[in-house]
């Protein structure tokens, strides 16, 4: 039995969700010009040295109306209305700014991994614009890691594959994100010039429970070692997970155990992880 009060409460909640969705669609463009987007940075740790190898840039929308809006809530809408293209260039510029500030402060160049949407990759001027932005900041292309999800490659599309080859030829690192989810295609992976494989959090989680999943990761590592491809394990939340991944031979680790995605100000001070 629901009371009138409960109905009124559900009603308000539904109204809130509908309003938020509408706001996400209609206010996205102005939010970009009002500087409501920002990046957080999550370190990727070398399992042997415990030093920061790179940071992954993760976008947030700090809305004056709805507070922090997470990327899963607005990236799909941004892809639909193509705002992802401008948002993507904003992300790249902010990432380059971070590399420069990190260098000033720590006297060390750190790589930044940024997430690239399929829509961005399919823009004909994408490679040229990325090149000119990186050179404006006087950085090397090899300072940038472009994370591309597998799903994109499957439903496309030779042009996407050509773009990846172009980026690699220009010296960018290219990472296959979320590997192991959905339809893993080893063929896709090994016929393209990827420099890194990111094993999805769910696979890492499973490997803590089944020997099959552990064997699968060990197998991937062997394949990657032969081709000089880096392997990252995502979603490392516990010391046990960290130890297990290190024992199988994963060199790069990312997850809440080391750091949650941090503000630029905080991330500038992260150089190594103290066990
Ligand atoms: P992703 O690329 O797979 O990013 C990893 C997600 O896992 C991030 O969520 C991160 O905060 C979260 N994470 C990291 N470590 C842990 C952990 O130990 N445990 C758990 N449970 N989660 C962890 P976030 O920041 O909400 O981003 C979600 C997705 O949104 C990303 O998934 C990525 O696909 C997309 N995204 C984020 N930033 C951008 C961007 O600038 N451009 C585009 N196109 N997509 C982005
Ligand atoms: Ca990613
Ligand atoms: Ca991922
Ligand atoms: Ca993901």
């Amino acid at each position: 039995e629901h009371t009138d009060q409960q109905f009124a409460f559900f009603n308000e909640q539904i109204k809130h969700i509908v309003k938020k969705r509408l706001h996400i669609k209609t206010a996205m463009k102005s939010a970009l010009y009002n500087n409501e987007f920002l990046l957080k940075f999550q370190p990727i740790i070398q399992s042997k040295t415990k030093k920061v190898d790179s940071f992954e840039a993760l976008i947030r929308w700090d809305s004056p109306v709805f507070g922090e809006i997470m990327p899963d809530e607005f990236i799909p809408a941004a892809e639909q209305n193509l705002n992802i293209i401008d948002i993507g260039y904003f992300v790249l510029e902010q990432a380059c700014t971070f590399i420069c500030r990190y260098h000033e402060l720590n006297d060390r160049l750190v790589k930044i991994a940024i997430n690239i949407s399929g829509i961005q990759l399919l823009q004909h001027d994408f490679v040229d614009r990325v090149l000119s932005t990186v050179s404006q900041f006087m950085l090397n292309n090899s300072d940038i890691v472009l994370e591309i999800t597998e799903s994109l490659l499957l439903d496309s599309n030779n042009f996407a594959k050509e773009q990846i080859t172009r980026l690699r030829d220009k010296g960018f690192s290219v990472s296959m994100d979320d590997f192991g989810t959905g339809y893993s295609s080893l063929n896709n992976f090994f016929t393209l010039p990827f420099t890194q494989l990111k094993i999805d959090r769910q696979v890492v989680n499973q490997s803590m429970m089944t020997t099959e999943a552990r064997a699968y990761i060990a197998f991937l590592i062997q394949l990657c070692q032969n081709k000089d491809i880096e392997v990252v394990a995502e979603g490392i939340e516990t010391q046990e997970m960290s130890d297990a991944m290190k024992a199988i031979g994963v060199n790069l680790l990312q997850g809440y155990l080391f750091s949650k995605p941090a503000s630029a100000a905080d991330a500038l001070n992260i150089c190594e992880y103290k066990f």
Side-chain angles (χ1 to χ4, degrees):
E1 286 298 292
H2 293 297
T3 62
D4 283 356
Q5 251 186 347
Q6 278 175 317
F7 273 122
F9 176 70
F10 290 138
N11 213 358
E12 283 310 304
Q13 278 198 316
I14 288 164
K15 269 193 203 157
H16 180 83
I17 291 168
V18 171
K19 273 189 197 159
K20 192 176 183 184
R21 277 204 196 136
L22 191 68
H23 182 81
I24 284 171
K25 282 191 193 148
T26 56
M28 189 182 289
K29 198 163 188 171
S30 55
L32 186 58
Y33 298 111
N34 295 337
N35 268 311
E36 291 173 24
F37 291 101
L38 58 105
L39 294 187
K40 294 219 166 163
F41 298 91
Q42 187 180 35
I44 298 169
I45 307 289
Q46 293 170 354
S47 61
K48 282 177 195 144
T49 65
K50 294 162 193 172
K51 288 209 166 79
V52 173
D53 170 79
S54 48
F55 287 92
E56 179 174 2
L58 295 158
I59 196 166
R60 301 288 181 262
W61 178 352
D62 185 15
S63 158
V65 188
F66 290 98
E68 184 173 80
I69 307 178
M70 299 300 280
D72 287 335
E73 295 179 88
F74 66 85
I75 293 291
E79 289 175 331
Q80 221 161 30
N81 64 22
L82 301 186
N83 283 325
I84 191 67
I85 297 168
D86 285 339
I87 292 174
Y89 292 124
F90 167 82
V91 168
L92 177 64
E93 284 167 19
Q94 294 292 304
C96 289
T97 303
F98 182 86
I99 300 178
C100 295
R101 291 174 62 196
Y102 193 92
H103 185 216
E104 277 167 25
L105 194 71
N106 300 304
D107 203 24
R108 187 156 88 84
L109 271 172
V110 75
K111 285 181 286 178
I112 299 281
I114 59 182
N115 292 285
I116 301 298
S117 155
I119 307 285
Q120 295 172 264
L121 199 64
L122 293 179
Q123 300 305 303
H124 282 263
D125 60 352
F126 179 70
V127 177
D128 287 340
R129 280 195 63 174
V130 173
L131 281 169
S132 76
T133 303
V134 173
S135 72
Q136 271 166 33
F137 282 87
M138 294 192 292
L139 295 171
N140 295 316
N141 298 339
S142 57
D143 298 333
I144 308 288
V145 183
L146 301 162
E147 295 194 2
I148 295 164
T149 55
E150 209 186 353
S151 58
L152 163 73
L153 300 172
L154 286 176
D155 22 276
S156 51
N157 170 327
N158 285 328
F159 186 67
K161 297 183 180 182
E162 282 167 32
Q163 293 281 70
I164 290 172
T165 306
R166 263 181 221 135
L167 289 162
R168 182 62 205 129
D169 288 344
K170 295 290 182 187
F172 293 97
S173 297
V174 195
S175 178
M176 184 178 272
D177 203 356
D178 296 348
F179 192 85
T181 55
Y183 312 86
S184 291
S185 166
L186 282 171
N187 187 49
N188 247 335
F189 184 64
F190 287 110
T191 55
L192 284 167
F194 282 99
T195 55
Q196 189 183 79
L197 179 71
K198 283 191 102 165
I199 302 171
D200 190 74
R201 183 165 88 227
Q202 286 165 29
V203 181
V204 174
N205 259 323
Q206 274 197 342
S207 77
M208 299 306 290
M209 294 173 289
T210 71
T211 48
E212 286 90 346
R214 262 199 304 286
Y216 178 58
I217 296 180
F219 162 74
L220 287 177
I221 287 167
Q222 254 185 10
L223 290 179
C224 287
Q225 262 167 0
N226 294 335
K227 304 215 170 215
D228 220 10
I229 295 168
E230 296 176 326
V231 177
V232 184
E234 299 189 308
I236 303 296
E237 295 183 352
T238 64
Q239 190 63 53
E240 291 71 45
M241 290 169 89
S242 172
D243 292 343
M245 288 302 111
K246 200 178 164 186
I248 320 180
V250 180
N251 290 330
L252 298 171
L253 305 171
Q254 178 181 6
Y256 294 165
L257 173 66
F258 307 104
S259 169
K260 292 208 165 171
S263 69
D266 288 343
L268 284 172
N269 293 306
I270 304 177
C271 294
E272 60 189 312
Y273 175 73
K274 306 204 172 48
F275 286 83

